[in-house]
């Protein structure tokens, strides 16, 4: 490989990282309207509803754009069956259930270690009580779709187009999972432990099946159960 070609690959890789950061920033901006009534006082019921609908429209538009970009990229080349000495499952639903159990066990263990700050919990409570239906739709359905398209779909197609051996698989798994966790915590704090289990399982699911629909389905199931738990606690 020539030096110029290696340099071009490095530059392209770095530019793709910048693009991923930009997409995540747009995702965060789309979530802002629905959080404003909880952060600032004086919002009427009508204004709160408009803010929630605005976020739904923004997230819907972002998903449409991400899907368009995703379909234009070449699929990743993966031979995970050789890497792990396992063949892809003939019963994917049962496999998804097994992976989901691993996710929940990891989340339970993480919950025993990680303690949320009271300030963050107060904000979360306000967000979900101001527009519960819209927020559940956003967090349980739209957010997983956006995050999977960014952190699994586009991230792999741009940064890790070939996962064909243990080295490439390990590097891609660690990098994608850590970035996913950092994007949610924005710091190297113990809270990373709360996101790494789901990040690892979702990344493994995406690479194993090489199909974004499986990781999206698993992510939606996980977030939906989390929303049910949160709303149950708030109702009490």
């Amino acid at each position: 490989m020539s030096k110029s070609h290696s340099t071009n690959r490095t530059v392209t890789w770095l530019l793709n990282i910048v693009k991923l950061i930009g997409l995540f920033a747009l995702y965060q901006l789309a979530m802002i309207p629905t959080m404003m009534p909880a952060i600032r006082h004086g919002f009427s019921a009508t204004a709160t509803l408009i803010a929630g609908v605005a976020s739904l429209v923004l997230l819907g538009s972002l998903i449409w754009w991400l899907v368009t970009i995703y379909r234009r990229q070449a699929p990743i080349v993966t031979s995970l069956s050789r890497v792990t000495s396992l063949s892809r499952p003939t019963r994917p639903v049962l496999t998804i259930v097994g992976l989901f159990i691993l996710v929940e066990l990891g989340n339970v263990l993480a919950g025993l270690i990680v303690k949320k700050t009271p300030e963050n919990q107060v904000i979360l409570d306000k967000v979900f009580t101001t527009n519960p239906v819209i927020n559940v739709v956003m967090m349980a359905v739209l957010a997983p779709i956006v995050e999977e398209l960014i952190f699994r779909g586009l991230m792999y197609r741009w940064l890790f187009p070939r996962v064909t051996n243990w080295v490439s698989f390990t590097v891609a798994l660690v990098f994608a999972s850590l970035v996913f966790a950092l994007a949610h915590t924005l710091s190297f704090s113990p809270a990373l432990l709360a996101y790494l289990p789901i990040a690892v399982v979702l990344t493994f699911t995406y690479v194993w099946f090489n199909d974004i629909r499986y990781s999206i389905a698993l992510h939606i199931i996980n977030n939906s159960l989390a929303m049910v738990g949160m709303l149950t606690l708030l109702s009490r």
Side-chain angles (χ1 to χ4, degrees), residues 179-194:
V179 169
F180 178 83
L182 284 173
H184 286 78
T185 61
L186 301 179
S187 66
F188 286 95
S189 66
L192 282 175
L193 297 175

Side-chain angles (χ1 to χ4, degrees), residues 145-165:
I145 295 175
V146 173
E147 292 176 9
E148 289 309 300
L149 286 169
I150 294 176
F151 293 109
R152 246 67 62 178
L154 290 176
M155 179 176 287
Y156 268 79
R157 292 191 173 194
W158 286 348
L159 305 184
F160 305 103
R162 297 183 63 85
V163 181
T164 55
N165 54 55

Side-chain angles (χ1 to χ4, degrees), residues 76-81 84 86-92 95 163 205-211:
I76 64 172
V77 178
T78 175
S79 300
L80 195 57
S81 57
T84 61
L86 296 171
S87 59
R88 286 193 176 90
T90 56
R91 297 181 178 180
T95 303
V163 181
T205 302
Y206 173 67
V207 178
W208 194 5
F209 289 102
N210 197 3
D211 190 332

Side-chain angles (χ1 to χ4, degrees), residues 29-34 46-61 131 134 138 142:
L29 290 174
M31 302 284 281
I32 288 178
T34 194
T46 302
T48 300
L49 180 61
I50 292 175
V53 173
S55 278
L56 290 180
V57 172
L58 290 172
L59 282 176
S61 301
N131 240 328
I134 289 178
M138 289 175 57
L142 299 185

